[in-house]
Amino acid sequence: MNNTCELCGFNNPKGTVTGLIIKDGKVLTFKRIEEPFKGKFDFPGGYMNVDETPEKAIKREIKEELGVDCEATFIGWFPGTASWKGKKYAVLSHAFLVEPKGELRLNKKENSAMKFFEISKLKSIAFDSNVEILNFIKKNFVFDYKTLLKLINQLDPSAKVNEVNLYKSVLDGYISKKIVNGKLVGVGWIFPRRTFLRKQAVIEDVIVDIKERGKGYGKDITLDLMRWARETGVEVIELTSGSHRVPANELYKKVGFKLHPTNHYLYFVDKK
């Protein structure tokens, strides 16, 4: 009788999930209590169960490891490897931006400690797929958050910024940052949307520090956002600007925007 498992010869990746909990620019890690990588820092997460979607898996893992429910926003796929009893195999990690709903309570049967690290200062992490995830958030989620808040408050003093929305905006589109002499002096955000007619994009919140205006930084940011739109196949870019913002309106005309006669309405949805 031949007991050879033909299916075992395929190195198809096993599904895993990874959760990123970020607060004040710091990402949560756990210290592992088991091999592989015993004693090393790791991100929350684990293996998917049978008949489990990635979103259900990350919510289960967060509940098991931290005792809280959560919301999860998909970031992307990150291939890598893991091992069991000396055998290495492929994994495919589904990374999520996680918003916990409650106080975090470490399950010490799963990990020995938890610690928040500044994203830019986290030097190593367990598993090669997590290394790629760390590289991704270092590239895309590192901001001078306090300066960014000050810039937004210059545009709208009543604005209350939820940090996780900043990271979601990166996932939904593109943020252009203007940095001069190591200091963040301006930002702009663009996000795509598909209509019945075409692929469009909306420019939102082009902001330059009041002390740095008149130096062409707003134009640099706007042109960078337009470049991103062109490279991603956008056909039409739209934006709105208050009529009182005279320099901004003149800038948009100079770089090619046409004033479109329309009424612009807002409806604030009540949460009942």
Side-chain angles (χ1 to χ4, degrees), residues 56-70:
K56 287 183 178 179
I58 192 60
K59 290 183 176 182
R60 172 184 53 76
E61 288 287 350
I62 295 298
K63 185 74 170 180
E64 291 173 359
E65 295 178 339
L66 291 168
V68 293
D69 295 322
C70 70

Side-chain angles (χ1 to χ4, degrees), residues 107-133:
N107 179 356
K108 291 195 174 181
K109 293 181 181 179
E110 298 269 346
N111 300 280
S112 64
M114 64 179 180
K115 182 177 180 179
F116 280 92
F117 283 93
E118 285 188 35
I119 295 173
S120 61
K121 295 181 179 180
L122 182 55
K123 301 302 182 183
S124 64
I125 196 77
F127 298 104
D128 51 4
S129 56
N130 281 345
V131 171
E132 295 305 313
I133 293 171

Side-chain angles (χ1 to χ4, degrees), residues 39-256:
K40 301 293 185 181
F41 284 105
D42 191 8
F43 292 132
Y47 289 95
M48 294 170 55
N49 289 336
V50 175
D51 296 330
E52 197 173 44
T53 65
E55 185 174 6
K56 287 183 178 179
I58 192 60
K59 290 183 176 182
R60 172 184 53 76
E61 288 287 350
I62 295 298
K63 185 74 170 180
E64 291 173 359
E65 295 178 339
L66 291 168
V68 293
D69 295 322
C70 70
E71 291 184 10
T73 302
F74 183 62
I75 294 175
W77 298 275
F78 296 83
T81 57
S83 63
W84 175 251
K85 294 183 177 181
K87 181 176 176 57
K88 184 178 287 189
Y89 51 88
V91 298
L92 181 63
S93 181
H94 304 70
F96 289 87
L97 182 64
V98 170
E99 300 171 70
K101 304 300 180 183
E103 182 181 352
L104 305 182
R105 301 184 303 276
L106 179 67
N107 179 356
K108 291 195 174 181
K109 293 181 181 179
E110 298 269 346
N111 300 280
S112 64
M114 64 179 180
K115 182 177 180 179
F116 280 92
F117 283 93
E118 285 188 35
I119 295 173
S120 61
K121 295 181 179 180
L122 182 55
K123 301 302 182 183
S124 64
I125 196 77
F127 298 104
D128 51 4
S129 56
N130 281 345
V131 171
E132 295 305 313
I133 293 171
L134 177 58
N135 289 338
F136 176 89
I137 63 174
K138 281 185 175 182
K139 179 180 178 180
N140 295 283
F141 287 0
V142 174
F143 292 88
D144 182 348
Y145 188 56
K146 291 182 179 179
T147 301
L148 180 62
L149 291 181
K150 291 178 181 178
L151 288 173
I152 293 173
N153 285 332
Q154 287 182 20
L155 184 67
D156 182 359
S158 66
K160 294 182 180 180
V161 180
N162 182 342
E163 182 181 4
V164 74
N165 285 340
L166 170 62
Y167 307 123
K168 287 181 177 180
S169 68
V170 173
L171 299 175
D172 289 342
Y174 171 69
I175 293 180
S176 177
K177 294 177 282 186
K178 185 66 179 181
I179 298 175
V180 178
N181 296 325
K183 179 183 177 182
L184 180 67
V185 299
V187 294
W189 177 48
I190 187 170
F191 63 94
R193 67 185 185 95
R194 173 69 66 177
T195 71
F196 288 139
L197 302 179
R198 54 189 165 249
K199 183 178 181 181
Q200 298 184 193
V202 180
I203 290 180
E204 289 276 3
D205 303 332
V206 175
I207 315 165
V208 175
D209 190 310
I210 193 170
K211 298 177 182 179
E212 303 290 346
R213 293 174 187 171
K215 300 179 180 180
Y217 298 153
K219 181 179 180 180
D220 292 343
I221 293 169
T222 303
L223 291 175
D224 187 40
L225 298 174
M226 295 167 68
R227 173 200 58 77
W228 179 89
R230 189 176 300 109
E231 292 178 357
T232 55
V234 169
E235 299 169 70
V236 175
I237 305 172
E238 57 184 297
L239 60 80
T240 59
S241 183
S243 57
H244 64 286
R245 300 182 66 204
V246 176
N249 282 279
E250 290 302 315
L251 165 64
Y252 299 140
K253 293 175 185 177
K254 286 181 181 178
V255 297

